[in-house]
Amino acid sequence: ENTISGGAEISQDMTDRCGPIANDRHEDEQTPTASSSSSSACFLDDRPCWGGPTNQCSLPDLLSLIDRSKVILRETVDYIVLNKPPDLRMDGKYAATVHKLLTYWYPSEKLLEASGSDDTSNKSVLFLQQVLSLHKFNDLANNQLRPCHQLDYATSGCLLVARNALTARIAGDALSARDERVQKKYLAVVHGHVCIKRDEWPVLSPSDFRRSFQTVEQTYRSARAKRRNDTFIGYLPSHAVFQRWKSSYRQATVETGGEKQMSKKRRKERRNTASSIDMQALWKELLLDNEISPDSQRELCALSWSNVKQNEMWLDSFEKLTNAYNERARAQSHDGSSSSITAALPPIFCVQGEPDESFYMYGALAQVPDEFSMRLYDCNSDGSSLQQLDFKPSLTRCVVLHRGIMPNSIGPITKVQLEPKTGRRHQLRVHMAQIVGHAIVGDVTYAQQSSDGEVTRSSVHGGYNGRMCLHAYQLTLPPLLTDTVTTPDPFPVNTETVALPL
């Protein structure tokens, strides 16, 4: 058992407090001393852990704390690997962002010329003001710097940035291809002692594990490929609903001596979840007979969709029918797709042949409109509340590195290595808090949702000297990066201190 260094004894040390933050900086770097306070009113409020006692959190403040040679981990003609400081947003209307930092360090010639700066080592106050006015990556014309992936505001560590559009697309394809050679490893400190229960958790063979994960990935990607904008499996546009209505109308009005033999095409349609919706019943339920008379309905059967669009009343009726049809089709589609995604793998399991201190976490995550936190699929939830959400499969491997204490009010902690096998928003944070029940130290969003009784409000907000303990530690991306890029460990273990017993 070990103790994670932290607490009040290092609260004044910027280097330990924020990982890549350092009190020294590049000697050739001359940061303009112009205060950003005069323009602070135009920025959104931000309170990073590296901000000073008077909340100095502007770009000049950040530049005065960091050493460029330590923050830039790798630089080639195609890519830059940045050791992103914690509590630094990617972009936005904030006084300091990754975008502003990179623009300051790697300015375009036009930006230098516009500000009267002759080179990158002699930057003027006007240049700094221009950088501070660029809130989005596309605010700068012909901006070649493009982040290849995202890191949360509170997360520090490896961030890959492409230096042109082509290399950005190549890196994006490599990161989304699920190539086993591509690896991202994170370090995290979580509340409580994580205990692996191999005698209780499912243990899968490597082949079963790979087959199950590949199946769920292929199922989801196939569904995504069929979508368009906010569509879903079974979605029909208005013209397709009109054609289906004509078919159902004719079938309902043709008198037969019995049920006709179904064609192969018809049987295939019946197997589709959406085709089980009775179009004529839905038409009557919406009282559309009151809008379009029986004579007009017979007339419509001989017309094309282009004719219908020219009649405002007809078009309005079929738009109502389309909306009602797709609402029911979406409900049926989600009932099936969500359950198939969640049933593919257990929420917690181990894999044969892997170290005893390793396990996997699996779940389906969805973005909830107008909410910051992500939603983990719960089969026991009210189905109606899940119908409009796009649940995506997410998988994380966890390796326990150390169990110990943090010498402050936080108490028992576990240091873990997290390897995301998918790239969902807040994936690592949700998996640790809601699947395993051990929230990441300093994670205000998900700590209250954790089942770990060790978490208290004071420890959540105090965190590890004010920051969330999640750090992108390593990035392996062959052949774009010739070798693995590794950052310094911001959560060192003090092996000389005796930890509290379990």
Side-chain angles (χ1 to χ4, degrees):
E1 299 239 351
N2 305 285
T3 299
I4 304 295
S5 299
E9 68 272 21
I10 62 169
S11 61
Q12 302 302 316
D13 189 334
M14 281 290 185
T15 303
D16 290 341
R17 188 163 85 165
C18 299
I21 302 295
N23 287 322
D24 56 340
R25 57 185 173 86
H26 210 277
E27 294 180 356
D28 296 334
E29 191 82 32
Q30 298 181 5
T31 306
T33 56
S35 172
S36 62
S37 59
S38 60
S39 59
S40 61
C42 66
F43 296 119
L44 298 176
D45 185 36
D46 203 9
R47 301 180 183 274
C49 63
W50 46 266
T54 57
N55 196 30
Q56 298 104 340
C57 58
S58 68
L59 181 60
D61 297 324
L62 178 62
L63 289 167
S64 69
L65 295 173
I66 60 179
D67 181 352
R68 175 174 173 174
S69 65
K70 294 179 181 178
V71 173
I72 301 300
L73 303 173
R74 182 71 55 83
E75 184 174 352
T76 69
V77 294
D78 294 323
Y79 298 101
I80 300 167
V81 181
L82 172 77
N83 189 4
K84 173 187 168 298
D87 290 5
L88 185 65
R89 302 178 194 276
M90 295 295 296
D91 57 10
K93 201 173 182 179
Y94 299 91
T97 63
V98 170
H99 168 48
K100 291 181 174 68
L101 180 64
L102 289 174
T103 302
Y104 185 86
W105 279 344
Y106 300 92
S108 65
E109 293 183 2
K110 289 185 178 181
L111 189 61
L112 287 172
E113 292 174 359
S115 62
S117 300
D118 52 2
D119 56 55
T120 57
S121 62
N122 183 25
K123 301 186 178 95
S124 64
V125 174
L126 177 59
F127 171 78
L128 178 62
Q129 292 175 345
Q130 287 187 323
V131 171
L132 291 174
S133 68
L134 301 172
H135 303 311
K136 297 290 185 180
F137 280 87
N138 56 5
D139 283 350
L140 181 62
N142 299 319
N143 183 16
Q144 296 298 306
L145 297 176
R146 300 165 186 264
C148 302
H149 58 106
Q150 297 285 323
L151 287 180
D152 290 343
Y153 162 74
T155 304
S156 59
C158 288
L159 178 67
L160 182 66
V161 179
R163 306 187 79 159
N164 56 70
L166 175 60
T167 54
R169 185 170 68 252
I170 294 173
D173 292 342
L175 289 168
S176 61
R178 305 286 189 261
D179 188 334
E180 293 185 356
R181 298 176 301 169
V182 177
Q183 293 186 354
K184 291 190 288 184
K185 296 182 179 180
Y186 290 71
L187 295 176
V189 180
V190 302
H191 288 279
H193 288 139
V194 177
C195 297
I196 300 176
K197 304 174 183 178
R198 282 186 169 263
D199 56 338
E200 299 179 15
W201 295 349
V203 179
L204 307 182
S205 68
S207 59
D208 288 344
F209 164 56
R210 284 193 296 269
R211 182 169 55 252
S212 297
F213 182 54
Q214 289 172 357
T215 298
V216 72
E217 278 281 279
Q218 292 170 358
T219 300
Y220 177 73
R221 292 192 179 205
S222 175
R224 291 277 295 183
K226 296 178 180 178
R227 298 179 188 180
R228 185 188 62 188
N229 298 331
D230 60 346
T231 63
F232 50 90
I233 299 175
Y235 170 87
L236 289 181
S238 298
H239 66 86
V241 169
F242 171 66
Q243 294 298 333
R244 185 160 292 188
W245 173 84
K246 286 204 302 183
S247 177
S248 66
Y249 179 85
R250 289 167 178 161
Q251 185 176 2
T253 55
V254 172
E255 295 182 358
T256 62
E259 186 175 354
K260 291 185 177 180
Q261 183 72 24
M262 277 190 193
S263 65
K264 290 183 178 180
K265 181 179 179 181
R266 185 66 178 162
R267 287 197 297 269
K268 184 177 180 180
E269 289 179 351
R270 277 291 175 88
R271 288 196 296 266
N272 192 323
T273 55
S275 66
S276 63
I277 300 174
D278 189 330
M279 193 69 73
Q280 288 301 309
L282 188 59
W283 178 276
K284 295 183 181 301
E285 183 180 324
L286 296 172
L287 304 177
L288 295 179
D289 279 333
N290 297 336
E291 299 182 11
I292 302 179
S293 66
D295 290 339
S296 296
Q297 293 179 40
R298 285 191 292 272
E299 180 184 352
L300 281 169
C301 283
L303 300 178
S304 65
W305 177 245
S306 59
N307 301 127
V308 175
K309 290 193 298 182
Q310 297 175 7
N311 186 306
E312 186 175 343
M313 183 184 65
W314 290 351
L315 181 61
D316 181 63
S317 297
F318 278 101
E319 285 181 349
K320 292 179 183 178
L321 183 64
T322 299
N323 292 335
Y325 176 89
N326 283 322
E327 183 178 350
R328 295 195 181 183
R330 182 192 292 272
Q332 294 182 8
S333 173
H334 276 273
D335 286 344
S337 61
S338 296
S339 60
S340 63
I341 290 176
T342 55
L345 288 167
I348 306 178
F349 62 94
C350 302
V351 174
Q352 294 174 0
E354 295 201 5
D356 291 341
E357 291 283 29
S358 68
F359 63 95
Y360 289 81
M361 299 166 284
Y362 175 81
L365 296 177
Q367 174 75 59
V368 181
D370 302 322
E371 289 188 18
F372 176 73
S373 61
M374 295 290 285
R375 178 77 59 85
L376 181 67
Y377 182 82
D378 183 0
C379 60
N380 297 319
S381 298
D382 178 14
S384 60
S385 64
L386 306 177
Q387 291 175 5
Q388 306 300 321
L389 302 181
D390 178 22
F391 283 95
K392 304 175 182 179
S394 60
L395 178 69
T396 302
R397 182 174 183 261
C398 177
V399 180
V400 173
L401 301 177
H402 301 284
R403 296 181 183 90
I405 62 168
M406 192 171 284
N408 53 21
S409 60
I410 293 177
I413 50 84
T414 303
K415 183 177 179 179
V416 296
Q417 176 179 288
L418 300 174
E419 302 172 22
K421 302 303 180 181
T422 54
R424 312 305 181 202
R425 179 174 177 267
H426 294 183
Q427 174 178 319
L428 304 181
R429 299 163 63 182
V430 175
H431 282 189
M432 291 307 302
Q434 298 185 18
I435 295 181
V436 184
H438 294 272
I440 295 175
V441 172
D443 188 350
V444 179
T445 301
Y446 296 104
Q448 302 303 320
Q449 303 173 21
S450 172
S451 61
D452 185 1
E454 303 280 354
V455 180
T456 63
R457 184 172 179 82
S458 60
S459 68
V460 167
H461 288 272
Y464 180 80
N465 294 292
R467 68 158 294 178
M468 183 177 72
C469 294
L470 181 60
H471 177 76
Y473 178 56
Q474 282 186 348
L475 176 63
T476 304
L477 190 62
L480 306 183
L481 301 175
T482 55
D483 56 2
T484 298
V485 179
T486 303
T487 70
D489 182 353
F491 317 123
V493 174
N494 183 355
T495 57
E496 298 178 357
T497 304
V498 178
L500 291 177
L502 284 174

